[in-house]
Amino acid sequence: GNETFPSARYFQEQGFQVVGCPWQSRTGILNWGRQLAEQEALGLMGTSWHKLMSSLDTLAVVAEAAWNPLAAEERVAAYEAASLVMDRLETLMAAEAATVGEARTIDLSAHANVSIRDERAGDGEGWLDFGPLRDLREFPVGSVSLLGVPFEVPDGAMNALMLHSPVPPCNRLPREVTDITVGLSARRLHMLAGYGFDTMGRPPVMTLRLRYDAGDPQELQLRAGTAVRHWLAREMTRGTAEPPLTLRTAWRGRTLDGTPARISLLTLDCDAWRTLQSVDLLATNSEAAPFVLAITAELAPP
C-alpha cells in the first residue's frame, strides 16, 4: 500500500528508463501508476507468484493503472476485475466458431432427470439444491444455436441429464445413463456439459462411451478442468488435454445472486467409418455431479 516509490525516482535521476513492477496491493498499484505517469516513466508491468485465476484482479488493476492512471481508481471500482479479465481471455480463446457441417440434434428428453431451476434451497429438489439465487434458470432451453452448433435442450420439467455424486441431493441420481440413441454415422459429437460441485485437482468426472454398430466401443474419460468445466465461472481453463477433444465456452450468464456462470461446448471426434448407435455416460468416483444439457451429432460426409 505504498504512497510513493523513491526507488523509481532515484533510478530515473541516474538516467535509467523505469518500468514499475507492482505486486498485489491495489493501493500500491494505483499510486505507482499515477507517480510513473507524472514522471513520464515507461509504465507498469504486472507480476504474479500465483496461479492465473488468483491474479486476474491484479492484472486488470495494473492494466487500468498503466493505461488510465488518473482515472484508474474510479474505473476499477466500477466492475469485477477478475470476471472482466476472465471473460475477455475466454472470448479470445473461443472467438472462432467451429465450421459445423450437417448436424442432427439428439433427443435427451427421456433421459433428463434434473431441472435447471431450483425453487427452494434444501428441499432435495431442483438444480443442486442451492435455491433460486444460484441456479441455471437463465440458460436457454429448446432449440438453441451456440458457437454455430444447433442444440435441442429439453424444455419440460427436467432439462439436464445429471449423474451421481455423494453430495446431496445428487446422491439419488444414477451412476450411469446408457443407450442414448444416436443411430448415425457421425464425424463429431458436440455436447453442452459441465459439473456441479467443486473437485480437488483435475480428476476424471465422467466416462463417455460411444457404441458403434461393429467393433469395440470408444471410451473417453472427461477430466475436470480440461474436458469438462465447473458451471460457475470461477476458473479460466482451456481444454486441450486430448487430441480428439476441444473445449470452448458456449454460453455465459449470471445466477440471480450475480455469480458468473458458464456452459462449455465439448467437441470430440468419432469413428466416421462406423455407425454410432448409442452413447453411455458414466460417473466416476468423484463429488463432481457431471451433467449434459444437449448432444448434437455432426454427420460424416457422404
Side-chain angles (χ1 to χ4, degrees):
N2 293 344
E3 295 295 328
T4 61
F5 301 87
S7 59
R9 184 174 290 108
Y10 171 80
F11 283 114
Q12 279 192 299
E13 290 172 351
Q14 305 308 309
F16 292 97
Q17 293 185 319
V18 172
V19 174
C21 299
W23 191 45
Q24 287 189 311
S25 166
R26 176 174 289 203
T27 301
I29 294 169
L30 297 173
N31 288 341
W32 209 350
R34 285 190 292 266
Q35 177 183 318
L36 293 177
E38 293 168 0
Q39 295 171 206
E40 297 183 348
L42 288 182
L44 293 179
M45 179 170 65
T47 67
S48 172
W49 300 95
H50 296 283
K51 295 179 181 179
L52 177 60
M53 264 308 298
S54 59
S55 305
L56 290 180
D57 184 81
T58 302
L59 293 176
V61 176
V62 170
E64 291 288 4
W67 299 331
N68 306 289
L70 300 182
E73 187 169 2
E74 180 181 353
R75 291 173 65 92
V76 298
Y79 59 69
E80 296 177 58
S83 296
L84 178 70
V85 174
M86 180 165 56
D87 181 74
R88 297 289 169 83
L89 287 173
E90 287 197 329
T91 298
L92 290 173
M93 288 180 175
E96 74 290 353
T99 301
V100 178
E102 186 178 359
R104 297 284 187 275
T105 59
I106 306 304
D107 185 6
L108 290 185
S109 58
H111 304 282
N113 54 12
V114 297
S115 170
I116 60 173
R117 301 172 68 93
D118 203 335
E119 301 301 342
R120 185 179 296 107
D123 66 351
E125 304 292 337
W127 180 258
L128 300 174
D129 220 8
F130 294 141
L133 295 181
R134 187 66 67 89
D135 63 17
L136 259 181
R137 67 181 61 215
E138 298 300 315
F139 186 78
V141 297
S143 299
V144 298
S145 179
L146 298 171
L147 294 182
V149 181
F151 289 103
E152 192 68 32
V153 180
D155 62 357
M158 303 297 179
N159 315 109
L161 186 170
M162 186 174 284
L163 297 178
H164 181 274
S165 164
V167 180
C170 301
N171 54 346
R172 297 183 299 176
L173 296 177
R175 296 182 182 274
E176 60 183 57
V177 172
T178 60
D179 297 322
I180 301 172
T181 302
V182 179
L184 299 166
S185 295
R187 173 178 171 238
R188 295 189 292 190
L189 277 187
H190 304 278
M191 300 175 57
L192 298 177
Y195 60 91
F197 297 121
D198 287 323
T199 61
M200 295 293 292
R202 296 281 190 250
V205 298
M206 180 166 57
T207 297
L208 184 65
R209 181 184 296 139
L210 308 183
R211 296 187 179 276
Y212 295 91
D213 62 340
D216 295 331
Q218 178 183 358
E219 283 199 1
L220 295 169
Q221 280 198 331
L222 306 184
R223 194 171 291 275
T226 55
V228 63
R229 291 190 294 200
H230 196 281
W231 70 287
L232 295 176
R234 298 179 299 207
E235 61 181 9
M236 198 284 298
T237 54
R238 189 179 190 186
T240 56
E242 298 290 340
L245 302 178
T246 59
L247 184 67
R248 294 173 295 156
T249 299
W251 175 87
R252 291 181 183 84
R254 286 184 181 271
T255 61
L256 292 185
D257 66 4
T259 304
R262 66 176 172 202
I263 294 297
S264 297
L265 168 58
L266 170 67
T267 298
L268 55 105
D269 295 336
C270 301
D271 186 348
W273 298 102
R274 297 185 286 170
T275 298
L276 177 58
Q277 297 284 54
S278 62
V279 174
D280 299 340
L281 301 175
L282 300 86
T284 60
N285 186 24
S286 76
E287 297 183 351
F291 63 85
V292 175
L293 288 159
I295 302 176
T296 292
E298 184 178 347
L299 302 186

Short mmCIF file of all heavy atoms in Angstrom, two decimals, residues 24 45 47 89 151-152 169 194 201 264:
data_model
loop_
_atom_site.label_atom_id
_atom_site.label_comp_id
_atom_site.label_asym_id
_atom_site.label_seq_id
_atom_site.Cartn_x
_atom_site.Cartn_y
_atom_site.Cartn_z
N GLN A 24 0.49 -7.27 -5.56
CA GLN A 24 -0.95 -7.43 -5.45
C GLN A 24 -1.67 -6.32 -4.69
O GLN A 24 -2.88 -6.36 -4.58
CB GLN A 24 -1.29 -8.76 -4.80
CG GLN A 24 -1.05 -9.96 -5.71
CD GLN A 24 -1.59 -11.25 -5.12
OE1 GLN A 24 -1.33 -11.56 -3.97
NE2 GLN A 24 -2.33 -12.00 -5.91
N MET A 45 4.46 -3.04 -15.29
CA MET A 45 4.42 -4.44 -15.73
C MET A 45 3.86 -5.27 -14.59
O MET A 45 4.43 -5.27 -13.48
CB MET A 45 5.81 -4.94 -16.13
CG MET A 45 5.81 -6.40 -16.58
SD MET A 45 7.39 -6.90 -17.32
CE MET A 45 8.48 -6.76 -15.91
N THR A 47 3.02 -8.34 -12.19
CA THR A 47 3.77 -9.52 -11.75
C THR A 47 2.86 -10.43 -10.94
O THR A 47 1.84 -10.00 -10.41
CB THR A 47 4.98 -9.12 -10.88
OG1 THR A 47 4.50 -8.55 -9.66
CG2 THR A 47 5.85 -8.11 -11.60
N LEU A 89 -10.41 -13.02 -21.81
CA LEU A 89 -9.50 -14.09 -22.21
C LEU A 89 -10.25 -15.25 -22.86
O LEU A 89 -9.83 -15.76 -23.90
CB LEU A 89 -8.72 -14.59 -21.00
CG LEU A 89 -7.63 -13.66 -20.45
CD1 LEU A 89 -7.07 -14.21 -19.15
CD2 LEU A 89 -6.51 -13.48 -21.46
N PHE A 151 -28.52 -27.04 -31.10
CA PHE A 151 -28.77 -27.95 -29.99
C PHE A 151 -30.26 -27.96 -29.67
O PHE A 151 -30.98 -27.01 -29.96
CB PHE A 151 -28.00 -27.52 -28.73
CG PHE A 151 -26.53 -27.73 -28.80
CD1 PHE A 151 -25.67 -26.66 -29.03
CD2 PHE A 151 -25.99 -28.99 -28.62
CE1 PHE A 151 -24.30 -26.84 -29.10
CE2 PHE A 151 -24.61 -29.19 -28.69
CZ PHE A 151 -23.78 -28.10 -28.93
N GLU A 152 -30.69 -29.04 -29.04
CA GLU A 152 -32.05 -29.14 -28.53
C GLU A 152 -31.95 -29.46 -27.03
O GLU A 152 -31.66 -30.60 -26.64
CB GLU A 152 -32.84 -30.22 -29.27
CG GLU A 152 -34.33 -30.20 -28.99
CD GLU A 152 -35.03 -28.97 -29.58
OE1 GLU A 152 -34.59 -28.48 -30.64
OE2 GLU A 152 -36.03 -28.51 -28.98
N PRO A 169 -28.30 -33.07 -3.21
CA PRO A 169 -29.29 -34.12 -3.44
C PRO A 169 -28.91 -35.08 -4.56
O PRO A 169 -29.72 -35.92 -4.94
CB PRO A 169 -30.51 -33.30 -3.86
CG PRO A 169 -29.93 -32.17 -4.64
CD PRO A 169 -28.64 -31.82 -3.94
N GLY A 194 -21.00 -29.95 -18.19
CA GLY A 194 -20.30 -29.32 -17.08
C GLY A 194 -20.38 -30.22 -15.87
O GLY A 194 -20.78 -31.38 -15.94
N GLY A 201 -8.12 -30.87 -7.57
CA GLY A 201 -7.26 -31.24 -8.67
C GLY A 201 -8.02 -31.36 -9.98
O GLY A 201 -9.00 -30.65 -10.22
N SER A 264 -20.02 -25.07 -21.10
CA SER A 264 -18.98 -25.34 -22.09
C SER A 264 -19.48 -26.24 -23.20
O SER A 264 -20.38 -27.05 -23.01
CB SER A 264 -17.77 -25.99 -21.40
OG SER A 264 -17.21 -25.13 -20.45
#
